[in-house]
Amino acid sequence: MSSRIYKAVVLFLAAILIGVLGYTYLFDFSFVDGLYMTIITITTVGFSEVNPLSEEAKLFTIFLILTSISIYGYVVTVVSEFLSNSTLMEELKKNKMLKKINALENHTIVCGYGRNGRQAVSKLNNFKKSCVVIEKSPELLREIEEEGFLFIEGDATDDDSLLEAGVKNAENLITALPSDADNLYVVLSARQLNSEMNIVSRANNESSQKKLKIAGADNVIMPDKLGGDHMASLVVTPDLVEFVNRISLDGESYANLEEISVEDLPSKYLNKSIRELDLRRTTGCSVIGFISGNGEYIINPSSDMILEAKSNLILLGRPDQIAKIKKLF
């Protein structure tokens, strides 16, 4: 289609050039008069001639009219086909989306929009985290577009697709492709393009888990294994599983987990103890975890734990209690 448009433009410009050269060199018109005669002849607007035309000039004008009508018909056909195929609109939509993606920073790239990829995107959307999906299936792409998510049409194993998705500015990457080999290739490529990003990969086989870790994945998830473990747990410890199921991260359950940074708290609490923060009395939430500045995870920390810089608190509370924390701090 682009070559046909290029050909139509060239033919149109060639008609103008032939007309100007003909009137100027064959019939002694000035350049401006020759251009004027050419334009009114090609466009058939019906203005009068600038000079009386000889027999030869009239024949040349007839030739120019017939030629320009043929070219005009071709141009109209090409443009109509271009618009009817929605190619122009698709290009405009793609360029608009690429501009949005290029403006993103610290976003998440999700490779594959299958069952796991769809769940990942939904969770990210619930937390209002910006993400870009890389998918090549036309059916899934239509679904992604209907949902209003940013996407790149392409193969996630292709470096160009990762670059278009903004891998160099991304903070996280989730690869949920059905093939372990493809996930391995994505992890290798993404780690080469961005050494700082957090990479989470899906795996089907236990043998692939170690390879994905070596390739650069920070976490490897085996959905089938998790599903089997969960089903067995419903048989062995059903009440415990039901209790855990009632805890969520998105505010849509009986109790929620929330992570807050110590540095987001008022400065007066820095280097104070968890007891002095007094969250249980003021909000009803409980501190069930502490992540130190050097990345150490402490479950059920002591109330004497010091709130040092760059550390985080893991809180448990009902949705209204979590909302109270956000309001207070």
Side-chain angles (χ1 to χ4, degrees):
M1 177 59 69
S2 60
S3 64
R4 293 182 65 190
I5 293 175
Y6 176 76
K7 181 180 178 181
V9 172
V10 170
L11 288 173
F12 184 74
L13 294 176
I16 295 176
L17 181 61
I18 291 171
V20 172
L21 292 177
Y23 285 115
T24 302
Y25 291 100
L26 297 179
F27 309 111
D28 296 327
F29 281 61
S30 67
F31 174 78
V32 174
D33 287 344
L35 179 61
Y36 174 78
M37 283 296 299
T38 300
I39 296 300
I40 66 172
T41 301
I42 289 177
T43 57
T44 64
V45 294
F47 288 111
S48 62
E49 299 85 354
V50 293
N51 294 320
L53 298 179
S54 64
E55 294 293 330
E56 293 81 4
K58 289 179 180 179
L59 290 173
F60 177 78
T61 302
I62 293 172
F63 163 76
L64 189 59
I65 291 173
L66 294 176
T67 303
S68 60
I69 288 176
S70 300
I71 294 174
Y72 180 74
Y74 179 76
V75 171
V76 170
T77 301
V78 172
V79 172
S80 299
E81 184 178 346
F82 183 72
L83 294 177
S84 65
N85 289 336
S86 301
T87 307
L88 178 61
M89 295 304 297
E90 290 298 326
E91 286 296 324
L92 291 175
K93 286 167 61 177
K94 181 179 179 181
N95 290 337
K96 184 178 180 180
M97 185 171 297
L98 286 176
K99 285 183 179 179
K100 289 182 179 180
I101 293 173
N102 291 334
L104 293 177
E105 289 187 359
N106 300 324
H107 59 289
T108 299
I109 298 173
V110 178
C111 302
Y113 198 69
R115 177 170 54 88
N116 299 124
R118 187 181 289 103
Q119 291 173 348
V121 173
S122 177
K123 178 66 71 173
L124 291 168
N125 185 55
N126 288 341
F127 278 85
K128 295 179 170 54
K129 296 290 185 181
S130 55
C131 68
V132 179
V133 183
I134 301 178
E135 179 57 60
K136 60 182 179 180
S137 167
E139 293 79 11
L140 293 178
L141 286 170
R142 283 193 291 271
E143 182 180 339
I144 296 169
E145 187 174 11
E146 290 173 359
E147 294 291 337
F149 301 128
L150 297 176
F151 66 89
I152 294 295
E153 181 179 0
D155 190 340
T157 61
D158 186 355
D159 286 1
D160 290 339
S161 296
L162 292 173
L163 290 170
E164 284 188 7
V167 67
K168 292 187 176 181
N169 296 325
E171 184 177 15
N172 308 288
L173 181 140
I174 298 173
T175 176
L177 301 176
S179 167
D180 285 356
D182 287 343
N183 287 322
L184 180 62
Y185 195 89
V186 171
V187 171
L188 282 169
S189 299
R191 184 55 72 200
Q192 289 292 323
L193 295 170
N194 187 338
S195 60
E196 302 297 326
M197 73 189 312
N198 177 55
I199 299 178
V200 180
S201 176
R202 168 189 171 177
N204 296 315
N205 302 313
E206 291 189 12
S207 59
S208 303
Q209 194 169 12
K210 185 176 180 181
K211 295 175 184 177
L212 286 162
K213 282 277 191 178
I214 294 174
D218 296 286
N219 300 97
V220 180
I221 306 300
M222 298 184 64
D224 293 339
K225 182 178 180 180
L226 290 175
D229 286 348
H230 188 75
M231 288 187 286
S233 298
L234 286 171
V235 174
V236 179
T237 54
D239 293 334
L240 179 60
V241 173
E242 179 61 27
F243 181 82
V244 172
N245 285 342
R246 290 172 181 261
I247 301 174
S248 74
L249 304 175
D250 52 16
E252 298 179 354
S253 191
Y254 297 93
N256 305 135
L257 290 174
E258 184 76 15
E259 179 180 357
I260 62 172
S261 171
V262 169
E263 294 179 351
D264 288 338
L265 298 173
S267 57
K268 65 180 181 180
Y269 291 111
L270 189 62
N271 296 321
K272 297 293 182 66
S273 67
I274 293 178
R275 180 185 292 108
E276 291 173 285
L277 188 58
D278 200 16
L279 283 178
R280 182 66 181 172
R281 183 183 64 83
T282 57
T283 67
C285 291
S286 300
V287 179
I288 64 169
F290 183 81
I291 306 174
S292 65
N294 59 10
E296 181 184 1
Y297 287 76
I298 301 172
I299 299 174
N300 194 25
S302 166
S303 59
D304 295 322
M305 182 72 66
I306 301 300
L307 302 175
E308 58 188 22
K310 297 183 179 180
S311 60
N312 292 338
L313 293 170
I314 307 297
L315 309 177
L316 175 65
R318 296 192 307 272
D320 60 306
Q321 295 171 334
I322 296 295
K324 194 171 184 180
I325 281 182
K326 293 180 179 179
K327 183 178 179 180
L328 289 176
F329 299 110

